[in-house]
Amino acid sequence: MGVLRPDLIIKSVVPVVMAGILGIYGLIISVVINQKIGSTTDYIPKIGFAHLAAGLCNGLSSLGAGLAIGLVGDAGVRANAQQEQVYVGMLLALIFAEALGLYGLIVAIIIS
């Protein structure tokens, strides 16, 4: 891609950046859960299972969003190299895929 079309390198990095944001979602929910733990004597199983559910919700939604971003990003970057009008459609599909991870983060914060 960079050899044949060096002018499209920055546009091709967008899926990588969006996938990296999903990792930041995991960091955010881990900090939220860590702040709510407090002392070990007050940590009852109900709260523990709620934190487990929050982590699983965030992790699995980020996994699905990452898979969608990977598939759309791969096909979109290849299509963008051939025809530049595809870029806007690729970007919209990437935004909707990223929204899956964001919804998981919101639900995880509510659960925790």
Side-chain angles (χ1 to χ4, degrees):
M1 178 67 167
V3 176
L4 298 176
R5 302 287 304 270
D7 54 326
L8 297 177
I9 290 176
I10 298 300
K11 287 184 177 181
S12 300
V13 175
V14 171
V16 177
V17 172
M18 293 185 85
I21 293 171
L22 296 173
I24 295 172
Y25 291 165
L27 181 66
I28 290 170
I29 197 65
S30 67
V31 169
V32 168
I33 290 173
N34 191 21
Q35 293 296 320
K36 291 187 177 183
I37 286 179
S39 67
T40 56
T41 58
D42 298 334
Y43 199 64
I44 59 175
K46 178 183 174 185
I47 297 172
F49 284 123
H51 289 163
L52 175 67
L56 283 173
C57 178
N58 186 30
L60 293 175
S61 67
S62 292
L63 180 68
L67 181 66
I69 288 172
L71 292 174
V72 170
D74 179 45
V77 166
R78 291 174 192 260
N80 189 30
Q82 295 176 357
Q83 189 174 19
E84 289 192 37
Q85 288 123 357
V86 179
Y87 182 71
V88 175
M90 177 190 76
L91 202 59
L92 285 173
L94 285 171
I95 289 170
F96 287 128
E98 184 77 28
L100 296 173
L102 185 62
Y103 295 150
L105 174 69
I106 292 169
V107 170
I109 289 174
I110 292 170
I111 290 174
S112 69

